[in-house]
């Protein structure tokens, strides 16, 4: 007997479609990778230009510089996605009856994909310039997506909270950067722990905890948006 075909839940399909919509718009504009990524690569060159070719020092600060660049430029990527929404687009999504949580999930998914692409785009520059130890590479498979997801969710949350405000371009980074500091700390300490041969499970747990708390905040924010509308 052939089992009936199971389909994904409708909210999940709606979120995936919104994610594809945002990614298509970004592919057409090309600002996240074609503009932001080169500036991120240039930012990674600032420390070597300032201190010279002190290889031990560059190796010690390389991980922190990489994640600081990911944090600062990642904030711009995530907030840009919400800044380009015209009032007509926001009203159209509201009229379609799509739950605010689904809308935020779709936006966070697109932001996570863009942030992961940005991380991978500037990673070769960090490797060439700072020559980091090779023993922490396997952990990047876990750290890169966890940081991308956490920062994407925080940026999506900040975009939703500042929607319609005149100073959203200023308020957004002020909201995201302090909340994202645990991501920066956990990512850099993961690299430091593996550098000295220690398993970084506690720092990976911190990354996962920040992602879960940010996701919970998005759900609560979506509920308040639904009640406000």
């Amino acid at each position: 007997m052939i089992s009936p075909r199971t389909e994904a839940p409708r909210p999940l399909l709606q979120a995936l479609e919104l994610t594809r919509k945002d990614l298509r718009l970004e592919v057409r504009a090309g600002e996240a990778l074609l503009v932001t990524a080169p500036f991120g690569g240039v930012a990674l060159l600032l420390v070597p230009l300032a201190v010279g070719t002190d290889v031990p020092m560059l190796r010690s600060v390389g991980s922190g510089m990489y994640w600081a660049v990911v944090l600062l430029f990642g904030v711009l990527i995530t907030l840009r996605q919400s800044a380009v929404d015209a009032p007509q687009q926001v009203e159209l999504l509201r009229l379609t009856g799509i739950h605010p949580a689904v809308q935020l999930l779709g936006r966070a998914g697109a932001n996570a994909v863009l942030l992961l692409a940005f991380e991978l785009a500037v990673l070769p520059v960090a490797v060439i310039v700072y020559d980091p130890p090779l023993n922490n590479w396997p952990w990047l498979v876990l750290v890169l997506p966890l940081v991308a997801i956490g920062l994407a969710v925080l940026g999506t949350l900040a975009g939703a909270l500042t929607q319609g405000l005149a100073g959203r371009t200023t308020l957004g980074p002020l909201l995201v950067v302090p909340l994202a500091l645990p991501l920066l700390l956990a990512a850099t300490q993961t690299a430091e722990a593996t550098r000295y041969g220690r398993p970084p499970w506690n720092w990976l747990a911190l990354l996962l905890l920040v992602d879960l708390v940010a996701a919970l905040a998005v759900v609560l924010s979506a509920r308040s948006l639904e009640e406000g509308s």
Side-chain angles (χ1 to χ4, degrees):
M1 181 177 178
I2 300 177
S3 59
R5 182 180 178 182
T6 59
E7 296 183 356
R10 182 174 176 81
L12 180 58
L13 294 176
Q14 292 175 337
L16 290 175
E17 187 58 36
L18 291 174
T19 297
R20 285 195 292 265
K21 183 263 296 181
D22 286 344
L23 291 177
R24 284 195 298 266
L25 292 176
E26 182 53 44
V27 168
R28 294 174 184 173
E31 293 188 13
L33 295 181
L34 297 181
V35 177
T36 310
F39 277 101
V42 172
L44 288 172
L45 298 174
L46 295 180
V47 171
L49 291 176
V51 303
T53 57
D54 188 347
V55 176
M57 177 179 168
L58 292 178
R59 284 181 176 175
S60 64
V61 303
S63 175
M65 275 298 299
Y66 171 76
W67 290 114
V69 167
V70 168
L71 171 62
L72 296 177
F73 285 85
V75 170
L76 300 179
I77 293 174
T78 57
L79 294 178
R80 180 195 171 277
Q81 288 294 308
S82 58
V84 297
D85 285 341
Q88 296 82 359
Q89 293 175 320
V90 176
E91 182 65 18
L92 180 61
L93 281 177
R94 189 183 68 83
L95 293 176
T96 57
I98 300 177
H99 195 277
V102 177
Q103 298 179 28
L104 296 179
L105 178 60
R107 174 58 50 82
N111 284 337
V113 172
L114 292 174
L115 284 170
L116 185 58
F118 175 78
E119 290 173 344
L120 295 175
V122 298
L123 183 60
V125 180
V127 172
I128 294 173
V129 174
Y130 295 98
D131 190 23
L134 298 179
N135 57 342
N136 61 358
W137 288 108
W139 297 103
L140 283 177
V141 177
L142 296 175
V143 177
L144 289 175
L146 286 175
V147 172
I149 292 172
L151 191 54
V153 175
L154 290 175
T156 302
L157 176 63
L161 295 177
T162 59
Q163 187 175 8
L165 299 180
R168 65 181 305 174
T169 56
T170 304
L171 292 175
L174 291 178
L175 288 174
V176 176
V177 172
L179 296 176
L181 288 180
L183 296 175
L184 175 64
L185 175 64
T188 54
Q189 290 304 311
T190 297
E192 287 297 310
T194 56
R195 180 182 178 185
Y196 293 103
R198 300 191 302 267
W201 294 115
N202 52 342
W203 298 111
L204 293 175
L206 177 60
L207 285 174
L208 183 59
L209 178 63
V210 173
D211 290 1
L212 293 177
V213 171
L216 178 60
V218 167
V219 172
L220 297 177
S221 176
R223 181 172 297 181
S224 63
L225 290 175
E226 183 183 24
E227 294 174 353
S229 60

